[in-house]
Amino acid sequence: MSQTIDSHPSEPDLPSLSRNELRKQLRQQRRMLSPREQEQASTSLALNLIKNPDLHRARHVAIYLPNDGEIDPHPYMAMARRKGIHFYLPVLHPVYPGKLVFSPYYDGVELTANRFGIPEPAFSSALRRPAWALDAVLFPLVGFDENGGRLGMGGGFYDRTFAFSHQRPRLAPKLIGLAHDFQKVKKLPVEPWDVPLHSVVTDRQLYRVK
C-alpha cells in the first residue's frame, strides 16, 4: 500500500501476539475512544473516503452499521448521498449459511436484530442486490497492514460472499476496509481464502493496496 505519513512507532507486533489476542487488544482500544473522539475520527474518515479514487464512479455502495467501537461511515454517507449514491446493508443469507446479501439502506428503513444482535433490513428477494452488482463495499476491519493483510471478527462472511473475486476479479466491486488508524499493525498473514482489498481508509489517510 502507498501512504503519505510514517507508520506508528507503537504498532502491535503480530509475532508476539496470537490472532485472538491481537483482535482482543485492538477491539478494546477502539472501544475506549470517547464519543467526541469517535465523532472526529468519523468526520476525518468521510473526507478521506470522498478523495478515494476507488469510489469516484461508484453509485451502489455497501455500508455497515458500526458497533463495538468500529469507525462510523455515516458522515461519509451524508456527503455521498448528495451525489446520488445508493447504499446497502449486509443481510445474513437465509439459504446459504455464512454468506451475505445486500438490501437498500435509507432513512426510515425498518431494521431487526439478526442472530448476532446486529440490526439489518428484512430479507427481500425483490429488493436485494447481488454482491457482483455492487460498485464498492465498505466494511470494518479489526486490524490491517500495509500489504493487504487484514484481521476481521473471524466469521469469514465477506470472504465467502466475495470469493468469486479470485476467479473473476473484473466482476468484483471495489473492496475497501475501514478502520481507525491505530488499528494498523506491522504485518498480518494473507490467507489463501482472503479476498483481496483495493484499499484501506482510516481517519488519518488512504492506503492503496498494490
Side-chain angles (χ1 to χ4, degrees):
M1 297 183 184
S2 62
Q3 62 179 54
T4 57
I5 62 175
D6 291 337
S7 58
H8 293 180
S10 59
E11 290 170 357
D13 188 2
L14 183 62
S16 64
L17 295 172
S18 70
R19 290 178 72 90
N20 284 338
E21 289 171 336
L22 182 63
R23 184 180 288 114
K24 181 179 179 180
Q25 175 180 310
L26 292 172
R27 290 177 64 190
Q28 181 179 14
Q29 192 171 352
R30 70 187 185 188
R31 285 196 298 263
M32 291 174 64
L33 293 174
S34 68
R36 178 60 176 165
E37 289 171 324
Q38 284 281 15
E39 181 181 355
Q40 291 174 337
S42 299
T43 299
S44 297
L45 173 75
L47 296 174
N48 288 335
L49 282 170
I50 289 293
K51 295 183 290 186
N52 188 349
D54 289 334
L55 290 168
H56 284 176
R57 296 186 179 182
R59 289 295 174 267
H60 298 277
V61 178
I63 206 84
Y64 64 91
L65 299 179
N67 68 90
D68 193 50
E70 293 167 345
I71 197 164
D72 190 350
H74 279 88
Y76 164 71
M77 292 176 57
M79 296 179 187
R81 275 184 169 145
R82 294 195 288 267
K83 297 184 176 183
I85 294 179
H86 303 281
F87 289 98
Y88 303 81
L89 282 178
V91 177
L92 298 180
H93 202 293
V95 178
Y96 300 103
K99 290 190 174 183
L100 303 170
V101 294
F102 297 88
S103 294
Y105 179 43
Y106 50 86
D107 290 340
V109 65
E110 185 175 350
L111 303 175
T112 304
N114 62 25
R115 69 174 185 269
F116 299 109
I118 300 174
E120 64 179 25
F123 174 80
S124 169
S125 58
L127 294 178
R128 73 180 181 90
R129 193 167 188 87
W132 58 263
L134 294 164
D135 296 318
V137 180
L138 308 181
F139 61 98
L141 302 176
V142 176
F144 69 97
D145 67 21
E146 295 180 17
N147 301 311
R150 58 187 173 86
L151 182 68
M153 292 294 287
F157 287 93
Y158 285 95
D159 289 316
R160 283 186 288 270
T161 302
F162 294 98
F164 67 88
S165 65
H166 289 291
Q167 289 76 35
R168 298 182 178 180
R170 292 187 179 183
L171 287 180
K174 298 293 185 181
L175 300 178
I176 303 169
L178 306 187
H180 298 281
D181 205 76
F182 62 72
Q183 294 171 238
K184 178 173 173 287
V185 302
K186 291 181 179 179
K187 185 173 177 59
L188 285 165
V190 178
E191 305 291 353
W193 54 83
D194 285 346
V195 294
L197 296 175
H198 292 85
S199 58
V200 175
V201 183
T202 74
D203 51 312
R204 295 188 65 187
Q205 61 186 298
L206 162 66
Y207 300 85
R208 300 298 303 278
V209 177
K210 297 179 181 178

